[in-house]
Amino acid sequence: SIARGFGVAWLTVWSAMKRVGRQRIEDPDRVGPTPMVGFDETVMQPAQRRRRRRLVTAVVDVDSGQILDVFEGRDARHLRAWMATMPLSWLAMIHVVSVDPHEGYRGAVVNPDPLTGRPSPLAGVQIVVDPFHVVRLANMAVTRCRQRIQQETLEHRGWKGDPLYDIRKLLLVGAERVDEAGWARIHAALDAGDPNDAVRDCWVAKEKVRDVYLTDDVGLAAERLDDAIAWCTPAESGPELRRLAKLLRRWRTQILAHHTTGASNGPVEAANLTIKQVKRSGRGFRNFDNYRLRILLAGGAPQRETQPVTSIRTRRPRFVA
């Protein structure tokens, strides 16, 4: 639209944008001291017949939500390559790293480089696993268990009228939000479609995982997390519970770190929305440098404090619907 307004080619406008945009994103004052940083990936290009899926990782300030940088890939080697380009003095100011339970990020932050043997510049930071992803994995365990029991008992996927299929959404609702009618539906469906109580056990495990985040006491949270792990561990548990127990044991320290730091990937997920809007406005991107430039111009500026909005309406309206 700008090119049409000035009567020039799109490439002319983009050349000017690149020149001015690089000056802005390369400004040393754009990124200040950042004690808490979050990493998360988004899809740059989907997979096709002759092309693998391309992913990019956003580096976000957890305190302000500012997009600090974007690099291609999500593996440990990609994060190590990005850290090698950053000043060591800036990396030394990072104390907390918030991630989803992806081993690539943790391996790059904690372990030394397997090729050179050099220790990671972020080796001493505290890693925090985002609560949303942990609860989401517990919900996925319930859904997969329900689907497996559905196939074993009725030998087909869920249909309308099947006991477990009719409560598929209700099983993912927090226990404190279920009313009496909902409890009656849950009990009736489990009695009719869950002969070995496998779905019930997964639902209890999901609620135990949620209970970890319903307290601010670190000691109580550790007890609840250990209780959830013990509930999922028995040999007679289904594959969904055993997989969930393995994840909870592997990330136990990082899960409990949320209660001491208060960090989460909420600002990172908000930055991902900005990245997806940039991708949607450009109808997709093939050049990573241009993609990174557009992302940092859209969300890489320091967040400014906004004045509170004054309410125009000074009194309650007479007619309220």
Side-chain angles (χ1 to χ4, degrees), residues 79-98:
L79 181 52
R80 291 192 183 99
W82 174 80
M83 289 190 293
T85 63
M86 302 302 294
L88 293 178
S89 58
W90 182 80
L91 293 174
M93 292 184 290
I94 299 177
H95 304 294
V96 176
V97 171
S98 177

Side-chain angles (χ1 to χ4, degrees), residues 147-309:
Q147 294 171 345
R148 178 174 62 84
I149 299 301
Q150 174 83 25
Q151 291 286 347
E152 292 177 356
T153 56
L154 301 180
E155 297 182 352
H156 62 75
R157 60 177 298 177
W159 295 345
K160 182 179 180 181
D162 293 339
L164 296 181
Y165 183 77
D166 287 344
I167 61 168
R168 64 191 186 281
K169 296 181 179 180
L170 196 57
L171 290 174
L172 304 182
V173 177
E176 69 280 1
R177 298 173 55 192
V178 180
D179 55 10
E180 294 183 2
W183 283 117
R185 288 179 56 197
I186 290 176
H187 288 301
L190 293 180
D191 292 340
D194 186 26
N196 298 323
D197 293 337
V199 178
R200 182 189 67 85
D201 291 343
C202 277
W203 183 87
V204 173
K206 182 261 295 185
E207 290 300 321
K208 288 181 178 293
V209 172
R210 291 184 67 252
D211 288 342
V212 175
Y213 297 105
L214 297 181
T215 179
D216 296 329
D217 187 354
V218 181
L220 182 57
E223 294 178 2
R224 293 180 177 180
L225 182 57
D226 292 337
D227 181 40
I229 295 174
W231 178 268
C232 302
T233 302
E236 62 272 12
S237 300
E240 299 82 11
L241 285 181
R242 293 197 299 269
R243 189 182 301 114
L244 181 61
K246 182 179 179 181
L247 181 137
L248 296 178
R249 283 195 300 267
R250 182 183 302 173
W251 293 89
R252 181 181 183 277
T253 303
Q254 290 76 21
I255 291 174
L256 295 176
H258 167 73
H259 295 77
T260 57
T261 62
S264 71
N265 259 25
V268 186
E269 297 295 337
N272 286 345
L273 178 60
T274 301
I275 293 174
K276 293 176 182 178
Q277 289 174 345
V278 169
K279 176 183 173 182
R280 189 179 300 113
S281 66
R283 303 298 191 270
F285 287 83
R286 293 178 294 177
N287 188 299
F288 171 72
D289 293 334
N290 293 340
Y291 190 41
R292 175 178 177 270
L293 178 60
R294 290 281 297 269
I295 291 172
L296 294 181
L297 288 177
Q303 301 293 330
R304 298 180 179 178
E305 296 183 1
T306 58
Q307 297 295 329
V309 179

Side-chain angles (χ1 to χ4, degrees), residues 93-114:
M93 292 184 290
I94 299 177
H95 304 294
V96 176
V97 171
S98 177
V99 296
D100 56 9
H102 174 50
E103 194 62 41
Y105 293 146
R106 182 170 67 171
V109 171
V110 175
N111 301 328
D113 192 336

